[in-house]
Amino acid sequence: MTNNLKPLKIAGVGYSLPKAVLTNDDLTKLYETSDEWIYTRTGIKERRVVSGTEDATDLGFEAAQRAIAKSGIDPEEIDLIVVASSAPPDLYPAVACHIHQRLGIKKFVPAFDITAACSGLIYGMSIARAYISSGIYKTVLVVATDNNSRLLDWTDRSTSVLFGDGAGAMVLTESDDGVDDIISIDIKADGNYGHLISLPFGGQNCPLVEPHEVKPQKIQMNGRGVYTFVAKILPHYVEELLANAGMVSDDIDYLIPHQANIRIIQAVQERLGMPDEKVISNIEKYGNTSAASIPIALAESVEHGKVKLGSTAILCGFGAGMTWGGAIVKLREGIC
Ligand code: ACO
């Protein structure tokens, strides 16, 4: 980063979860599985799912309101809304446009969605950083929200046990004290592994042309393949992110990783040599909430006193694409 780039402040973080709880025991009513199988392989005990008319837009809006309240900004100050969603209620209007409307923002601001699966929050932060540090915008709202439960194949026990619904949001603004809260951020993708997790659209050709095979519109995942890919890449990647920032794991107070599988979290923890109390995990209660999992883990652990503000954390995630990313951040007092 050169000196004429503007420093950025993480001003507020919020989250929202649906109320309905599905336990592992509940899932035994759908297919042959057990709490023991799911918990020992994933660390998951239960997950939250949307119900009735509730969807990822509602969750995202609520998380955004909370992040805005914590940041102390007026929604009219927002210059850009980016929503990371890979399991949205509709492809368009973008969830970001719905959130613009629900926040009652009168200004015409750009609002768009990005698809980076579970890396979405880090991708969104990276976009916010580029706009703020270049001076194009002062205030960016990043929302990460997914209603995975509506797009899962509920007959597929190897995939549907893993996911839950939820939303997180972050307000990023130009820093007013010269301190840059993003010490380092990086995002990556390798499209060669796209086949490992996919969510095809059904769709059809015009009846005047040759019909094409309609694919089921459900999340499909090669769990073993994802696990192998991530276990190989992520621990080393996070270690490198630290080294590139000129830091060591002792400089980091908390590891706040994407909550996909407790064994993957432990692999990163082991590589960094971090003790349990520095590693944040809530996968037991919420499963994999995709892009929302990092901001939920961050804000909830502050609420519960597990993460003290005024600290430094490393955030890291991976997801369909395959995509991955990480950020080393300062967590100011009062952000959540
Ligand atoms: N209950 C009981 N048995 C099951 C279940 C279940 N819910 N699911 C699968 N099994 C069975 C399989 O049928 C298989 O039986 P078989 O040997 O008789 O054929 C056996 O268990 C082993 O199946 P695997 O899929 O090989 O199990 P594995 O040990 O790999 O664990 C898991 C599966 C938990 C999905 C693991 O691979 C994993 O966590 N992978 C990572 C997935 C992940 O992180 N995805 C999120 C990506 S982020 C994003 O962007 C969406």
Side-chain angles (χ1 to χ4, degrees):
M1 201 169 157
T2 54
N3 287 336
N4 57 356
L5 294 180
K6 297 187 187 307
L8 165 159
K9 172 164 106 171
I10 297 175
V13 183
Y15 73 101
S16 169
L17 289 155
K19 290 205 172 46
V21 177
L22 265 185
T23 65
N24 290 346
D25 282 338
D26 291 332
L27 296 180
T28 63
K29 294 174 198 147
L30 291 179
Y31 33 62
E32 203 184 318
T33 189
S34 65
D35 176 55
E36 196 272 335
W37 193 97
I38 300 170
Y39 187 65
T40 52
R41 278 170 186 78
T42 67
I44 301 166
K45 281 266 178 204
E46 57 188 47
R47 69 286 294 142
R48 301 288 184 93
V49 291
V50 289
S51 56
T53 57
E54 182 183 46
D55 64 24
T57 301
D58 300 315
L59 300 176
F61 171 55
E62 197 168 71
Q65 282 182 308
R66 291 176 181 163
I68 290 167
K70 283 291 175 185
S71 72
I73 63 148
D74 182 320
E76 286 300 327
E77 291 174 53
I78 295 170
D79 300 309
L80 166 68
I81 303 172
V82 180
V83 173
S85 188
S86 308
D90 323 285
L91 188 60
Y92 52 83
V95 177
C97 294
H98 285 301
I99 288 178
H100 171 264
Q101 179 261 328
R102 294 216 197 163
L103 288 172
I105 298 173
K106 295 193 179 58
K107 227 168 49 169
F108 300 140
V109 296
F112 57 84
D113 293 357
I114 57 166
T115 303
C118 309
S119 313
L121 190 266
I122 313 272
Y123 268 64
M125 288 173 69
S126 182
I127 292 169
R129 187 200 203 173
Y131 275 114
I132 294 171
S133 62
S134 61
I136 295 174
Y137 297 131
K138 281 200 158 106
T139 303
V140 179
L141 170 65
V142 177
V143 179
T145 185
D146 280 305
N147 44 221
N148 293 306
S149 67
R150 294 242 163 85
L151 295 154
L152 284 164
D153 176 354
W154 284 105
T155 63
D156 175 3
R157 64 179 180 169
S158 61
T159 300
S160 56
V161 297
L162 301 176
F163 294 93
D165 302 333
M170 191 179 267
V171 174
L172 302 105
T173 65
E174 192 182 310
S175 176
D176 40 19
D177 59 7
V179 175
D180 198 329
D181 291 350
I182 299 190
I183 297 168
S184 168
I185 189 161
D186 180 70
I187 49 176
K188 295 265 187 291
D190 185 349
N192 291 303
Y193 291 87
H195 59 280
L196 292 177
I197 320 173
S198 59
L199 174 51
F201 268 126
Q204 57 196 346
N205 281 349
C206 167
L208 300 177
V209 299
E210 193 184 336
H212 92 104
E213 193 194 333
V214 177
K215 297 177 185 165
Q217 195 174 319
K218 287 171 181 165
I219 296 172
Q220 296 166 8
M221 184 178 72
N222 172 348
R224 184 59 65 95
V226 172
Y227 187 89
T228 309
F229 179 87
V230 176
K232 195 167 144 205
I233 285 216
L234 200 66
H236 175 66
Y237 171 73
V238 174
E239 192 177 46
E240 231 174 47
L241 194 71
L242 269 177
N244 290 344
M247 298 173 86
V248 293
S249 60
D250 278 350
D251 299 324
I252 303 291
D253 299 305
Y254 304 104
L255 166 67
I256 309 178
H258 169 47
Q259 309 285 311
N261 183 309
I262 195 69
R263 290 182 293 155
I264 293 173
I265 295 175
Q266 285 162 350
V268 177
Q269 173 181 3
E270 271 164 36
R271 181 64 76 102
L272 297 182
M274 285 181 121
D276 289 351
E277 62 275 14
K278 285 185 157 195
V279 180
I280 302 307
S281 174
N282 59 10
I283 190 170
E284 191 170 323
K285 289 188 298 178
Y286 306 129
N288 180 347
T289 54
S290 301
S293 87
I294 295 173
I296 294 173
L298 164 58
E300 193 198 48
S301 53
V302 171
E303 233 169 62
H304 294 175
K306 281 194 221 154
V307 163
K308 305 265 179 271
L309 294 175
S311 53
T312 301
I314 187 158
L315 318 178
C316 61
F318 63 90
M322 292 297 288
T323 58
W324 63 101
I328 304 172
V329 294
K330 290 186 182 139
L331 304 172
R332 292 181 188 234
E333 298 291 346
I335 62 165
C336 45

